[in-house]
Amino acid sequence: MRKTLNFLMMMAMVAISFAQNKGIDSKRPNIVFIMSDDHAYQAISAYGHKLNNTPNIDRIAKNGAIFSNSFVTNSICAPSRAAMLTGKHSFVNGKVDNVQEFNWSQETFPKLLQQNGYQTALIGKIHLDGLPQGFDYSAVLPGQGHYYNPDFIINGEKQQLAGYVTEITTELTLEWLANRDQDKPFCVLYHQKAPHREWLPAKKYYSEYTKMKFKEPVSLFDDYSNRGTAAKKAEMNILHHMNWAGDSKIYPEVMEQLGITETSNWGIKALKNNLGRMDAAQRASWDSIYGPINEHFKTIYPTMSPEELMHWRYQRYMQDYLGSIASVDEGVGQVLDFLKENGLDENTIVVYTSDQGFYLGEHGWFDKRFMYEESLRTPLLISYPKEIKPGTDIDGMVQNIDYAPTLLEYAGVKIPKKMQGESFRKLLNNEKTEWRDAIYYTYYEYPSIHMVKRHYGVRTDRYKLIHFYYDIDEWELYDLESDPNELRNVYNDPGYAKIRDMMHRRVKEMRKKYGDSDKNDQRFLKEYLEKINK
Ligand code: SGN
Ligand code: CA
């Protein structure tokens, strides 16, 4: 009898503690971390650029907060992802460029959440080789992935899925959310490949977007004067460096008829590869829209001036880039609706960001990499109805190394001392807090595609100092107040001598604070050259 009583009491205690845990867990916020690839803030309507409409992404800002000064630490895909996962600068987590391997055995925020009772999933593009660690479920694209009928690696097993990548990524996410263990809080990384190059929209959007015309940026015809060598030498000009077939979707036979030679040796292959993955119906639908574009181009190209060609190529670029974003926005809407319909919206943190910013014709460019504004900045919108007031605008300078500590703090998990980012929860709550007044940046992938030279620098709310090194040794200084488009390097302007000295002190201080040095730069350079010359 006594034994039975003891047993019953024990069972009751287990039940109470289980219920308490469940109670605690139901209070811990869920996390939906949405990231797209190469999504410029200029292409989110909540940022007010009036280029396109993203009503669903905008809902996050409406329900929560939008950051006007959100920056990356290293404006390129895989390094950005590594910085976000680890909360550390590239030179500390080791993933400095797209070539270097990522060490998955490091401490990351999903791992810490998992160890602390969260259910975790990674769905979509991650661009970090090796089986992702820290996730109960992963469905990732190998490398860059494909737009049509993409391969996915689902819990380590590769399989091809039929359909359009953005929609599939959303479906997999909704499916995982619907089938999750409801007794645990969750964290899902919902990472779209779109709108990464070569910008192939879904059928339902390309017919609409290819008819649209978009506003051009003021510096579309930048001649790169009044700056150093780096901007002049970069190979990311829409007119000169975009692929005709791969990017502008001009068919190889049309190029041949017009006597156009492809910009790079992979441009034609890229288009063939992308269209080659389509089934007959997808291809016929594509041709029904892009065929007439090609036909029309045949008639106008022979008499076009370089300037007219630039206007044309810019529009072609924006149609496909923004058309790809339309599906991303639609997916965000579906996930937000799911949260609401399932009563999860109050207690779920929703983050929307990109792995970096992107040039939408500013300086005549596409791509990213530079520490200039359009690629240094990245969109950041966060909602969490339990804590963040709707319509919050935040102008504090945050960086993607801050995401990990912020999310850990919300989840009640101790932030590791070694993380270099800082939780910006107080900023989100409008609490008075000491906050950084400058950010530090590094970029390494050179020599490589787009030829953006190695550099590092510091940005304050008003000034930016950049050092380009390796095969040059040049400094650039910008006054973002008088020159927001960064068209005039004032480094050698005597009027800025004091600012220049102050910014040199700041960059030195930053390198010391985060543990960066010339020695690091030399080491990563050596490793890179060894890898690419193998
Ligand atoms: C590919 C793209 C480049 C892009 C890099 C890195 N060319 O090489 O334009 O800069 O990826 O992008 S493509 O024609 O193959 O698309 S990143 O987002 O993965 O860093
Ligand atoms: Ca990217």
Side-chain angles (χ1 to χ4, degrees):
M1 183 69 190
R2 226 190 132 91
K3 260 191 183 164
T4 323
L5 260 178
N6 271 346
F7 177 75
L8 283 176
M9 264 177 63
M10 221 173 76
M11 287 308 286
M13 273 163 65
V14 168
I16 289 168
S17 99
F18 185 71
Q20 276 172 344
N21 273 336
K22 227 177 143 175
I24 290 169
D25 275 355
S26 70
K27 283 196 200 105
R28 292 159 86 189
N30 302 306
I31 299 166
V32 177
F33 186 105
I34 316 172
M35 181 160 66
S36 306
D37 198 334
D38 294 356
H39 193 169
Y41 61 89
Q42 308 92 297
I44 291 179
S45 36
Y47 277 100
H49 287 259
K50 299 196 164 64
L51 196 59
N52 61 334
N53 276 321
T54 50
N56 293 301
I57 298 171
D58 294 5
R59 270 159 73 184
I60 303 171
K62 229 185 249 161
N63 293 340
I66 185 163
F67 290 75
S68 53
N69 285 303
S70 150
F71 304 101
V72 293
T73 43
N74 181 353
S75 184
I76 186 150
C77 195
S80 240
R81 291 155 195 273
M84 277 182 236
L85 289 170
T86 62
K88 293 171 184 162
H89 273 280
S90 307
F91 46 88
V92 176
N93 71 48
K95 181 71 185 159
V96 298
D97 49 49
N98 275 346
V99 172
Q100 196 71 254
E101 261 151 45
F102 177 62
N103 174 8
W104 270 110
S105 63
Q106 297 182 67
E107 196 160 60
T108 65
F109 81 83
K111 267 191 204 177
L112 290 165
L113 291 176
Q114 192 185 40
Q115 284 159 16
N116 284 276
Y118 269 75
Q119 202 178 166
T120 56
L122 166 60
I123 299 164
K125 181 170 173 183
I126 189 66
H127 203 179
L128 297 168
D129 289 340
L131 187 66
Q133 291 181 26
F135 301 96
D136 301 320
Y137 172 81
S138 67
V140 298
L141 298 166
Q144 296 284 13
H146 287 103
Y147 275 99
Y148 280 86
N149 308 325
D151 293 330
F152 268 86
I153 303 173
I154 302 186
N155 287 338
E157 292 226 354
K158 191 160 152 178
Q159 46 180 294
Q160 188 173 10
L161 301 182
Y164 182 66
V165 72
T166 309
E167 291 168 4
I168 298 173
T169 305
T170 305
E171 280 156 22
L172 289 172
T173 302
L174 291 172
E175 216 173 277
W176 184 80
L177 282 170
N179 294 310
R180 74 192 195 283
D181 174 352
Q182 306 219 355
D183 292 331
K184 284 180 174 178
F186 64 82
C187 170
V188 57
L189 274 54
Y190 163 42
H191 287 356
Q192 294 290 9
K193 166 193 169 60
H196 189 273
R197 201 181 181 188
E198 283 96 7
W199 320 298
L200 274 77
K203 180 182 170 182
K204 65 199 280 196
Y205 292 115
Y206 53 62
S207 41
E208 181 187 339
Y209 276 74
T210 49
K211 290 190 189 77
M212 292 163 110
K213 215 176 163 212
F214 299 96
K215 188 178 80 185
E216 290 177 352
V218 290
S219 59
L220 185 63
F221 290 93
D222 194 349
D223 62 1
Y224 314 115
S225 57
N226 304 318
R227 265 150 292 165
T229 317
K232 285 187 192 78
K233 292 279 183 185
E235 296 180 0
M236 41 200 243
N237 184 278
I238 295 171
L239 179 61
H240 302 296
H241 304 110
M242 249 187 194
N243 290 320
W244 284 99
D247 298 327
S248 295
K249 321 293 178 348
I250 295 300
Y251 295 159
E253 56 276 17
V254 173
M255 288 170 55
E256 211 179 298
Q257 279 174 39
L258 296 173
I260 295 174
T261 43
E262 185 54 301
T263 317
S264 75
N265 52 14
W266 79 92
I268 289 180
K269 247 198 273 167
L271 183 72
K272 285 191 173 157
N273 181 17
N274 285 329
L275 300 188
R277 296 187 71 89
M278 294 179 175
D279 64 26
Q282 289 166 333
R283 180 63 203 261
S285 165
W286 179 272
D287 285 338
S288 75
I289 299 296
Y290 288 84
I293 292 176
N294 273 265
E295 286 308 309
H296 177 64
F297 185 64
K298 271 202 264 182
T299 66
I300 57 172
Y301 176 75
T303 58
M304 271 172 134
S305 67
E307 199 185 312
E308 285 166 334
L309 207 49
M310 179 58 143
H311 292 302
W312 186 87
R313 295 202 80 175
Y314 170 76
Q315 294 302 332
R316 202 62 290 294
Y317 167 34
M318 282 302 94
Q319 290 166 355
D320 291 346
Y321 178 86
L322 299 171
S324 304
I325 288 172
S327 295
V328 173
D329 186 68
E330 186 182 289
V332 170
Q334 288 169 351
V335 170
L336 294 180
D337 288 348
F338 176 93
L339 296 176
K340 204 169 172 98
E341 283 155 17
N342 289 278
L344 293 164
D345 52 334
E346 273 295 303
N347 196 34
T348 300
I349 299 169
V350 179
V351 179
Y352 189 88
T353 189
S354 173
D355 58 346
Q356 4 73 205
F358 212 68
Y359 293 95
L360 305 186
E362 298 86 358
H363 306 290
W365 288 336
F366 63 104
D367 215 68
K368 53 250 179 180
R369 299 161 192 267
F370 273 112
M371 198 193 163
Y372 303 134
E373 289 296 276
E374 290 79 8
S375 45
L376 174 65
R377 286 173 178 276
T378 196
L380 182 61
L381 304 87
I382 302 185
S383 66
Y384 180 27
K386 254 196 181 163
E387 207 173 296
I388 305 168
K389 268 223 231 81
T392 302
D393 281 319
I394 295 174
D395 63 4
M397 289 195 273
V398 299
Q399 255 180 316
N400 54 1
I401 48 171
D402 299 330
Y403 302 173
T406 305
L407 295 175
L408 289 174
E409 191 189 340
Y410 276 123
V413 176
K414 199 165 168 265
I415 303 166
K417 282 220 164 55
K418 283 188 177 156
M419 280 195 177
Q420 298 184 302
E422 289 167 58
S423 167
F424 48 68
R425 185 185 195 171
K426 283 198 171 138
L427 289 186
L428 281 163
N429 290 344
N430 277 320
E431 283 172 47
K432 274 218 152 40
T433 177
E434 283 274 298
W435 193 248
R436 67 167 74 89
D437 62 354
I439 54 146
Y440 181 60
Y441 180 85
T442 60
Y443 174 78
Y444 304 86
E445 198 173 292
Y446 177 90
S448 174
I449 182 171
H450 302 305
M451 298 304 269
V452 174
K453 295 186 188 286
R454 288 168 181 259
H455 58 290
Y456 62 84
V458 63
R459 185 199 190 280
T460 64
D461 62 346
R462 177 160 176 190
Y463 301 104
K464 188 185 290 180
L465 179 72
I466 315 175
H467 183 214
F468 292 97
Y469 64 93
Y470 172 44
D471 57 354
I472 55 170
D473 179 9
E474 289 181 14
W475 292 86
E476 294 185 8
L477 177 67
Y478 293 93
D479 181 342
L480 300 167
E481 199 174 284
S482 64
D483 177 28
N485 297 318
E486 297 168 301
L487 299 171
R488 198 165 71 92
N489 169 23
V490 293
Y491 187 79
N492 292 314
D493 181 333
Y496 281 89
K498 274 204 179 120
I499 303 289
R500 189 188 61 206
D501 293 348
M502 178 274 288
M503 290 299 279
H504 269 293
R505 280 197 301 276
R506 296 300 321 253
V507 82
K508 227 179 174 170
E509 179 189 304
M510 285 291 199
R511 276 164 84 81
K512 193 162 166 216
K513 171 178 170 186
Y514 290 118
D516 201 11
S517 61
D518 291 346
K519 219 167 117 195
N520 276 352
D521 297 339
Q522 292 311 317
R523 172 161 68 92
F524 292 125
L525 172 66
K526 191 168 158 262
E527 286 176 13
Y528 180 78
L529 295 176
E530 275 167 15
K531 275 226 154 115
I532 61 164
N533 293 325
K534 235 194 216 159

